[in-house]
Amino acid sequence: MPPGSPELDDAPVAMGHCRLAIIGAEDGIQPIRADAEMLVANGEIYNHADLRAILGAENFNSSSDSEAILRLFRGGAQRWINRLDGMFAFVLATPERIVAARDPLGIKPLYMARRGKGLAFASELKAFDGFGFDDIGAVPPGTLFDSRAGLRTWYRIPAGAGAAEPGLDIDAVAGELRLALEEAVAKWMVADVEVGSFLSGGLDSSLVAAIAQKHRTGAGLGPLKTFAVGTAGAPDLLAARRVADHLGTEHHEFTFSAQDIADSLAHVVYHLESADLDLVRSAVPTLFAARLARRHVKAVLTGEGADELFAGYAYHHGYADDPRALADELTRSLGTMHNINLQRVDRMTMAQSLEARTPFLDRDLIAFAQSLPAQLKLRRTDPASAEATGPTTEKWLLRRACRDLLPEDLIWRRKAQFDEGSGTVEALRQALRLLTGSRDEVDPGRESKLYRDILRSRFAEPEMILAQAGQWNANRIAA
């Protein structure tokens, strides 16, 4: 059969793929075939050029990064999947077996379902809706499924460090962190198309944008394209504009209203495949940012992962005197990102044919960040100090490592949630009144029910979708 044929000779296998061409746009059609083996893959393999050189360029039939997966598999090494560096989900078929796997943090989604002896795989639950599949669930992050051997975990998040050892050279550690972050951003910008960046005006996206702009300038390229959204006068819009002016990016903005939210909520819930109240709220501005960015680029960098690596959430301040518990909590939250924040980002961007990239979740950066003492991530500080956000400062070491990249008041700006800083919270209150016809504010219970009702109206098997929802505080480590 020709390349790209969806069926496999002598095996009851069919594959389909809707491709967003980022690398190997001209010849990377999927499914990718090699003799009696066939592959579909989602995401990016950032070390594909190194793998191509090691495995022999003459063995490749395309310039697609995804082909490296198939060539590694054909090499027959026991732990071949560990050599893949990137964000990915794939299904590989031979006449004898099916192999499917997911990247270490579950940045890219992968679900598996059974019906009788048959197996089905998809990037979204809606692919199974209405077909009567049994035993539907996500392939866990860092896990490989082999139809001959079952599931095996090929990646485990390294345990985080707690207290700092005596005499630790903080400036040296901060310098190494900076190098690791710069390497991650540069790696995750690899593409055959232009890569832009979301810019909320918060620390995480601003640091990524600053390093990306520096990388483009060093390569002799034009300014980075940055994208910010919010309601009129929202703090995030104003902060993002300041960052863009400071960095010299090509900045784009979109101002949304309560009516825009009301018009988009059904779209959000359908593509998000969740009715979780917090997740829906944060998905709204992500959708608007994705729509804006897709008018200009096919891929964007985001700041996801920094809060989980460097203690950026408000509740983390409760761990200020227990660095061991904080380190364990950060490790736990990294392991749950796949069906919470990463699900939000992937679904909202891919619904707009936009690829989101998360350099803070680079495998090498995770390993280094987890080796850093949690005591330096969340630190007790003098509120009057210039290098503080209050009596305890979140992401203290990250701020210190990158303090030359942005104006001082932006580096030490206290975090606001995306849905709060963008103005979504107040606009959503108005949107909910528009949707329900209520003159009074819609309480959280009624809001949650509205999202569940929307989801149920869009799916034939809504309980199957709802059963997969992630929980923000599942198994949270107490301080």
Side-chain angles (χ1 to χ4, degrees), residues 294-305:
R294 189 59 183 90
R295 299 173 196 162
H296 305 274
V297 296
K298 293 173 72 173
V300 290
L301 303 172
T302 82
E304 260 64 42

Side-chain angles (χ1 to χ4, degrees), residues 370-415:
Q370 285 291 88
S371 75
L372 300 174
Q375 191 174 23
L376 298 181
K377 298 176 180 180
L378 180 79
R379 188 169 187 175
R380 288 212 170 273
T381 48
D382 178 359
S385 169
E387 295 191 349
T389 63
T392 53
T393 297
E394 70 280 7
K395 293 187 279 199
W396 183 85
L397 187 63
L398 178 63
R399 296 173 193 268
R400 188 176 180 88
C402 300
R403 56 186 171 178
D404 61 309
L405 291 177
L406 299 168
E408 188 176 86
D409 64 313
L410 291 176
I411 281 286
W412 299 100
R413 180 191 181 206
R414 183 177 280 275
K415 176 184 174 61

Side-chain angles (χ1 to χ4, degrees), residues 20 22 43-44 46 87 107-108 188 195-196 198 286 290 298-304 341-342 344-350 353-359:
L20 177 62
I22 304 293
E44 301 293 342
Y46 294 118
M87 56 176 196
I107 299 170
K108 303 308 290 183
W188 288 57
V195 178
F198 284 168
T286 306
K298 293 173 72 173
V300 290
L301 303 172
T302 82
E304 260 64 42
N341 272 336
L342 293 179
R344 165 182 58 84
V345 173
D346 179 81
R347 300 298 201 282
M348 293 302 98
T349 53
M350 294 305 288
S353 297
L354 179 74
E355 180 178 272
R357 298 181 170 193
T358 55

Side-chain angles (χ1 to χ4, degrees), residues 76-100:
Q78 287 284 335
R79 303 188 73 223
W80 60 274
I81 191 171
N82 294 64
R83 299 174 68 183
L84 295 173
D85 186 3
M87 56 176 196
F88 54 83
F90 67 80
V91 179
L92 195 158
T94 78
E96 297 82 28
R97 64 203 280 214
I98 296 289
V99 176

Side-chain angles (χ1 to χ4, degrees), residues 102-427:
R102 198 170 177 192
D103 66 64
L105 270 293
I107 299 170
K108 303 308 290 183
L110 181 61
Y111 295 97
M112 181 171 69
R114 300 177 186 270
R115 186 165 63 186
K117 295 183 179 179
L119 290 173
F121 297 87
S123 293
E124 294 180 295
L125 289 163
K126 59 177 63 68
F128 304 138
D129 187 39
F131 289 98
F133 284 105
D134 304 313
D135 192 23
I136 298 170
V139 174
T143 299
L144 181 144
F145 170 81
D146 188 324
S147 59
R148 295 196 305 201
L151 290 168
R152 74 175 178 89
T153 301
W154 65 270
Y155 175 86
R156 297 183 185 278
I157 298 169
E165 61 267 27
L168 181 67
D169 187 336
I170 293 176
D171 286 334
V173 170
E176 285 300 311
L177 172 57
R178 172 67 170 272
L179 291 176
L181 180 56
E182 292 203 5
E183 285 185 355
V185 173
K187 181 198 300 184
W188 288 57
M189 291 184 74
V190 171
D192 292 340
V193 298
E194 186 175 0
V195 178
S197 187
F198 284 168
L199 182 58
S200 70
L203 180 70
D204 310 332
S205 65
S206 296
L207 293 182
V208 168
I211 295 171
Q213 172 76 337
K214 179 181 174 183
H215 179 77
R216 286 186 62 84
T217 301
L221 301 172
L224 177 75
K225 290 183 173 67
T226 53
F227 308 97
V229 299
T231 57
D236 276 4
L237 274 184
L238 301 177
R241 202 174 300 158
R242 278 195 62 207
V243 173
D245 289 344
H246 177 78
L247 299 178
T249 67
E250 181 186 315
H251 193 54
H252 302 270
E253 294 180 353
F254 173 72
T255 301
F256 59 83
S257 66
Q259 187 63 58
D260 292 323
I261 295 177
D263 292 342
S264 301
L265 262 180
H267 180 85
V268 166
V269 171
Y270 175 71
H271 286 285
L272 185 62
E273 297 186 327
S274 175
D276 178 84
L277 186 140
D278 290 323
L279 205 59
V280 173
R281 288 176 176 178
S282 58
V284 168
T286 306
L287 172 69
F288 293 138
R291 284 177 175 170
L292 172 64
R294 189 59 183 90
R295 299 173 196 162
H296 305 274
V297 296
K298 293 173 72 173
V300 290
L301 303 172
T302 82
E304 260 64 42
D307 290 319
E308 287 78 7
L309 281 177
F310 298 102
Y313 291 120
Y315 81 92
H316 287 150
H317 290 270
Y319 296 79
D321 297 318
D322 195 345
R324 179 66 264 157
L326 175 60
D328 293 342
E329 170 59 15
L330 297 180
T331 303
R332 180 208 67 86
S333 61
L334 281 167
T336 64
M337 290 189 71
H338 63 282
N339 61 356
I340 306 174
N341 272 336
L342 293 179
Q343 179 171 326
R344 165 182 58 84
V345 173
D346 179 81
R347 300 298 201 282
M348 293 302 98
T349 53
M350 294 305 288
Q352 304 303 312
S353 297
L354 179 74
E355 180 178 272
R357 298 181 170 193
T358 55
F360 274 109
L361 296 179
D362 177 77
R363 194 165 154 187
D364 292 334
L365 181 56
I366 288 172
F368 184 73
Q370 285 291 88
S371 75
L372 300 174
Q375 191 174 23
L376 298 181
K377 298 176 180 180
L378 180 79
R379 188 169 187 175
R380 288 212 170 273
T381 48
D382 178 359
S385 169
E387 295 191 349
T389 63
T392 53
T393 297
E394 70 280 7
K395 293 187 279 199
W396 183 85
L397 187 63
L398 178 63
R399 296 173 193 268
R400 188 176 180 88
C402 300
R403 56 186 171 178
D404 61 309
L405 291 177
L406 299 168
E408 188 176 86
D409 64 313
L410 291 176
I411 281 286
W412 299 100
R413 180 191 181 206
R414 183 177 280 275
K415 176 184 174 61
Q417 287 186 193
F418 188 24
D419 54 349
E420 294 174 348
S422 63
T424 304
V425 172
E426 180 53 40

